[in-house]
Amino acid sequence: MKTVTVALTDTAYPVMMEQGLRHRCGTLLAERIAPCKIAVITDENVAPLYLADVEASLKQAGFTVLPIVVAPGEGSKSFGTLAKVVEALAAEKFTRTDCALALGGGVIGDLTGFAAGCYLRGISFVQMPTTLLAAVDASVGGKTAVNLDAGKNLAGLFYQPKMVLCDPECLQTLSAHCIADGAAEAIKTGILGDAQLFDIYENGDPAASYAEIIARCVAYKAKIVAADPTEHSVRKLLNLGHTIGHAIERASDFAISHGHAVGIGMAYVTRAAAKRGLLSTDTAKRILATLERNALPIHTAFDIDTLDALTKVDKKAAGASITVILPEGIGNCRMEKIALDEMRQLIADGVGEEHRP
Ligand code: GLY
C-alpha cells in the first residue's frame, strides 16, 4: 500500500493507493470512520463495474449502504442533481455522523463533495476515484462544485475528504479518450514540478506506469494543497491550462471533455510563453509533441473572441485581473497576474502561427 498524507493545519488525511483496494475499502474506512450509514454516489457507467465490490466490502465492515446512481457526464454537475442527492440523504435520515462516498471520476467527486459539504452544514466524505483524471488530480485537495449557466465550477466549496482510496485496477476499464483526459492533468503536473513524470509521458510507457504516475501527481498536489488549501497563492499553479481550457469546455457545451480542453489550454499558454521569450522554442516543441503523443489536441476551432469572452467569467478572475500560469521550463512555471484586457492578446499568441487564418 502506498500512502501520501495531505497535511493541512486543521486536519490531515491519507491518499491510499493499491491494486484491488476496492475489495477492502470497508476495512480501511472503518479505521477512520465509525460504522454508519454511507451513501455511495456513483454514475450509470461506474455502477455496473464497481458498485457491487464496494458495497460488499462496506457492508462486511459494518456500514449501511445507500447507493445513489446519477447520469454520467458533466450534466450531473448541476444544482438539479445536487438537490436530488441531498434529498435522498434526507429521505434516508442521514445525520451528521453519517457519510458520503464518491465512486467515480471528477464529476462524481465534485458533486459528492459539494453535497457532503452542504448537507446538514457538513458530513464526512470519502473519495474513491475510478478515472485517471480523478486519481491524479480531482480527488485530492477538496475542490467541490457544480456548474452554473454562466460558467464551470462557479458554485462550490473547499471541503476536504476524510480519505482518498485509489484502486488503479479501476483504470483498466477506461476508454482511450478517458485515459487521455487523465494524461492532460498528469502532464500538467510534470510541467509544473516533476521532470521525471513528464519524461514518462514524453518518452516512456504511461500505460505501464499508472501506479507511479498517480503517486507522483498526488505527492506534488499534497504539497501544494498543504501550502495553500484555498488557492490564494501557490495552488493557482494547478490551473495551468485551465483558464483557456474551461472556456473551451463551455464553448463546446462540454462536448470537449475537461482533460482534452486543458490539453489545448496548455498548448495555448505554451505557445504564448514561447512568444514572450519566457520558454525556449525547443521546450515549447517538446510540450506540444508530448501532448500529441498522448492523444491530446493542441488546437481548437473556437475563435479568439469566443474564448476571450468566456475567460472573463472564469472564477480565477479577481476584479479586473486574472492569474495565468506560464511554463518557463519542464518542472518550472510562473504565475502572472494580467489585466482581463490582456487576455485576448495572450489567447491570440497561443493560437500558433501554423493555425492563424
Ligand atoms: N484541479 C486543481 C486544483 O485542485 O486546485
Side-chain angles (χ1 to χ4, degrees):
M1 168 88 73
K2 168 97 182 146
T3 302
V4 173
T5 301
V6 182
L8 306 168
T9 37
D10 52 347
T11 183
Y13 60 91
V15 182
M16 298 175 162
M17 299 157 259
E18 189 178 68
Q19 298 287 338
L21 176 151
R22 68 187 182 284
H23 297 291
R24 60 189 197 97
C25 62
T27 318
L28 295 169
L29 229 80
E31 285 167 10
R32 292 181 76 89
I33 299 171
C36 60
K37 287 184 209 166
I38 184 158
V40 178
I41 299 158
T42 189
D43 72 28
E44 288 158 5
N45 291 337
V46 176
L49 298 169
Y50 305 118
L51 180 57
D53 293 344
V54 169
E55 202 171 345
S57 175
L58 291 171
K59 282 183 175 162
Q60 198 172 15
F63 292 92
T64 303
V65 180
L66 170 69
I68 301 178
V69 182
V70 305
E74 197 70 30
S76 283
K77 266 178 70 168
S78 67
F79 270 116
T81 311
L82 179 72
K84 282 187 190 142
V85 170
V86 292
E87 288 289 357
L89 300 180
E92 292 299 322
K93 299 191 171 38
F94 271 55
T95 69
R96 279 200 176 139
T97 54
D98 294 319
C99 179
L101 183 150
L103 177 67
V107 167
I108 290 297
D110 282 12
L111 174 72
T112 304
F114 196 5
C118 70
Y119 179 69
L120 301 182
R121 301 203 175 93
I123 63 170
S124 299
F125 96 108
V126 173
Q127 291 270 17
M128 275 193 77
T130 59
T131 65
L132 183 60
L133 188 144
V136 298
D137 183 62
S139 64
V140 178
K143 277 192 179 174
T144 79
V146 296
N147 301 325
L148 299 185
D149 289 343
K152 189 171 157 91
N153 292 341
L154 290 187
L157 304 165
F158 285 103
Y159 193 65
Q160 301 293 339
K162 278 277 175 285
M163 60 199 307
V164 181
L165 299 174
C166 177
D167 179 352
E169 254 177 39
C170 296
L171 307 184
Q172 285 166 9
T173 47
L174 294 177
S175 65
H177 190 276
C178 218
I179 289 289
D181 272 331
E185 294 285 3
I187 292 169
K188 175 195 84 175
T189 305
I191 298 169
L192 286 174
D194 187 340
Q196 276 174 268
L197 172 61
F198 185 85
D199 182 61
I200 296 175
Y201 278 97
E202 185 179 29
N203 302 305
D205 180 6
S209 317
Y210 289 140
E212 181 181 354
I213 289 167
I214 296 168
R216 283 184 170 278
C217 288
V218 170
Y220 178 81
K221 187 158 181 183
K223 269 192 300 183
I224 294 281
V225 170
D228 176 24
T230 49
E231 201 173 294
H232 293 294
S233 58
V234 287
R235 188 163 179 173
K236 291 182 183 173
L237 286 167
L238 301 179
N239 293 324
L240 173 65
H242 279 59
T243 299
I244 296 172
H246 283 170
I248 291 168
E249 280 185 270
R250 274 288 315 291
S252 74
D253 205 12
F254 298 103
I256 300 178
S257 58
H258 181 66
H260 282 65
V262 166
I264 301 168
M266 285 194 289
Y268 269 58
V269 291
T270 294
R271 295 189 198 95
K275 184 141 194 207
R276 284 162 163 68
L278 300 171
L279 179 70
S280 73
T281 315
D282 271 3
T283 309
K285 279 187 187 153
R286 283 176 59 201
I287 293 174
L288 297 174
T290 300
L291 292 168
E292 286 197 299
R293 178 179 195 254
N294 291 282
L296 288 162
I298 58 171
H299 296 289
T300 177
F302 294 113
D303 62 43
I304 296 167
D305 290 331
T306 302
L307 297 182
D308 182 40
L310 289 170
T311 57
K312 301 277 188 287
V313 292
D314 195 274
K315 67 185 178 321
K316 292 179 283 301
S321 65
I322 190 161
T323 301
V324 290
I325 313 305
L326 297 170
E328 293 186 301
I330 305 300
N332 179 26
C333 292
R334 75 197 270 166
M335 291 185 262
E336 190 129 321
K337 197 168 171 181
I338 64 167
L340 281 180
D341 292 352
E342 292 171 53
M343 195 64 202
R344 193 182 186 289
Q345 187 56 52
L346 188 122
I347 296 168
D349 290 345
V351 171
E353 292 306 325
E354 74 277 22
H355 240 67
R356 222 167 274 281

